[in-house]
Amino acid sequence: MHRSCFLALLLLLSPIVDFARVTPGVESPAFTTIPELSAGFDLLYEQRFAEAREAFASWESRNPEEPFGEVTVAACYLFEELSRQSVLTSDFFLNEKRLLRGIDGSPDPGRMSHFHDALARTRELAGERQKTNPNDGEALLALTLAAGMESDAESILQKRHLAGLEQMKKANGYAKELLAQHPDATDAYIAPGIANYIIGSQSAGSRFVLRFDGVHGDKKLGMEQVAKTAENGRYLRPFAKIILALAARREKQNALAQRLFRELSEQYPDSELFVSEYAKAMSVPYGD
């Protein structure tokens, strides 16, 4: 049975009050917008991967105990490979065979090696934080992102769908833990949102097999949850817009897809990806 390969690159970014009190003078990269990291993500969305990686690595080198730094480095390698494989396009997502089975061919081994190294360091640093506080928000965020990105890599790039599903379950579980502590963490909704959409896209029998942790599969609810991140996310609000826009194309919600791709193309006019996807979205009727 093939598993859907919809992206599960997850972000959970929300205010966390106690962190600043416990560690005076230290800004939380997960729950505070840091200009240097925001600039790095902008470079990432512009597909300027080497520059984005340099920005993330520079911040990480000055904050070696923060798992979020390693997460950004891993995200850069993954996003670059997804871009190289044309995954974040309507050509991929509207092709049912490719969506269910993954890419044609294999990912770049060197890039994937760097990606997995960064994930390993992320989990090591998150584990250190959890030794003193198992509910540490920074650690939960890092573990969520690591599991979500590994789910993407396993399902879409490596075509190991069962392994991808296991990582998706982990990401969803970490997201639930963080949302339980911080229900206003709107970026966290991308985790259950994507899970709901993935499972909801399957046949009835597959949905029964795939459902987990209270997620039974509901495409409409999934899109609504992702929309919360697209509207109020921090570093990766544009990523949520990509996912929501591609889902809208699949569901023939053309007006929504056109609006989101227009916003992305206006925000990143030098991005060939967003300009191209906006043009494709505009080539279909406006009405939903």
Side-chain angles (χ1 to χ4, degrees):
M1 180 190 305
H2 297 301
R3 302 300 194 264
S4 174
C5 297
F6 230 94
L7 300 179
L9 205 165
L10 310 172
L11 281 183
L12 313 175
L13 304 161
S14 65
I16 182 167
V17 177
D18 293 337
F19 183 86
R21 290 204 299 263
V22 173
T23 313
V26 176
E27 286 189 317
S28 160
F31 306 110
T32 302
T33 300
I34 296 178
E36 184 177 356
L37 292 176
S38 292
F41 278 107
D42 284 337
L43 292 169
L44 188 66
Y45 292 125
E46 292 171 352
Q47 292 89 60
R48 296 162 60 183
F49 301 112
E51 295 171 73
R53 190 154 44 245
E54 182 178 352
F56 292 146
S58 174
W59 187 89
E60 187 274 336
S61 68
R62 299 193 308 280
N63 300 271
E65 298 181 356
E66 285 286 357
F68 194 76
E70 293 292 348
V71 162
T72 61
V73 173
C76 195
Y77 282 115
L78 180 62
F79 201 95
E80 183 174 11
E81 187 62 27
L82 294 176
S83 178
R84 188 177 78 90
Q85 299 287 349
S86 300
V87 169
L88 298 176
T89 67
S90 55
D91 291 342
F92 184 92
F93 279 96
L94 298 181
N95 184 318
E96 199 70 11
K97 180 178 178 181
R98 297 184 71 191
L99 180 64
L100 293 175
R101 299 187 181 184
I103 64 170
D104 296 326
S106 302
D108 179 83
R111 188 173 294 116
M112 297 309 295
S113 177
H114 291 309
F115 167 70
H116 286 295
D117 287 346
L119 288 188
R121 291 192 295 270
T122 295
R123 289 173 171 134
E124 180 181 355
L125 292 172
E128 288 298 316
R129 297 181 72 96
Q130 288 188 311
K131 288 180 180 179
T132 56
N133 178 13
N135 296 318
D136 182 85
E138 296 285 326
L140 287 174
L141 170 65
L143 292 171
T144 299
L145 297 183
M149 288 190 290
E150 191 161 8
S151 176
D152 295 341
E154 292 287 355
S155 295
I156 300 171
L157 300 176
Q158 303 287 359
K159 291 166 283 190
R160 295 193 286 253
H161 304 301
L162 289 177
L165 177 62
E166 286 302 315
Q167 291 300 322
M168 186 196 299
K169 289 181 180 180
K170 290 182 180 181
N172 191 67
Y174 292 133
K176 287 180 64 177
E177 288 186 56
L178 188 56
L179 280 169
Q181 299 177 55
H182 307 283
D184 60 340
T186 53
D187 284 327
Y189 284 104
I190 198 170
I194 290 175
N196 264 309
Y197 190 88
I198 293 171
I199 297 173
S201 298
Q202 304 294 321
S203 66
S206 296
R207 287 200 300 274
F208 180 80
V209 173
L210 293 174
R211 65 183 182 179
F212 57 84
D213 294 337
V215 177
H216 302 290
D218 184 330
K219 291 194 292 183
K220 182 176 182 293
L221 174 61
M223 291 178 68
E224 289 173 351
Q225 291 170 322
V226 173
K228 293 182 179 181
T229 302
E231 292 166 1
N232 298 304
R234 184 170 285 114
Y235 297 116
L236 293 189
R237 181 187 300 181
F239 181 76
K241 288 187 177 182
I242 299 170
I243 298 300
L244 186 59
L246 291 171
R249 288 294 310 275
R250 282 178 54 81
E251 303 305 319
K252 302 188 186 306
Q253 297 180 19
N254 299 319
L256 175 59
Q258 290 168 1
R259 175 176 65 80
L260 292 169
F261 279 127
R262 183 186 69 249
E263 292 174 359
L264 287 167
S265 64
E266 290 174 349
Q267 184 175 0
Y268 302 103
D270 295 329
S271 168
E272 294 182 5
L273 171 64
F274 300 139
V275 172
S276 174
E277 288 303 317
Y278 179 44
K280 293 175 185 176
M282 291 302 294
S283 69
V284 297
Y286 181 83
D288 291 345

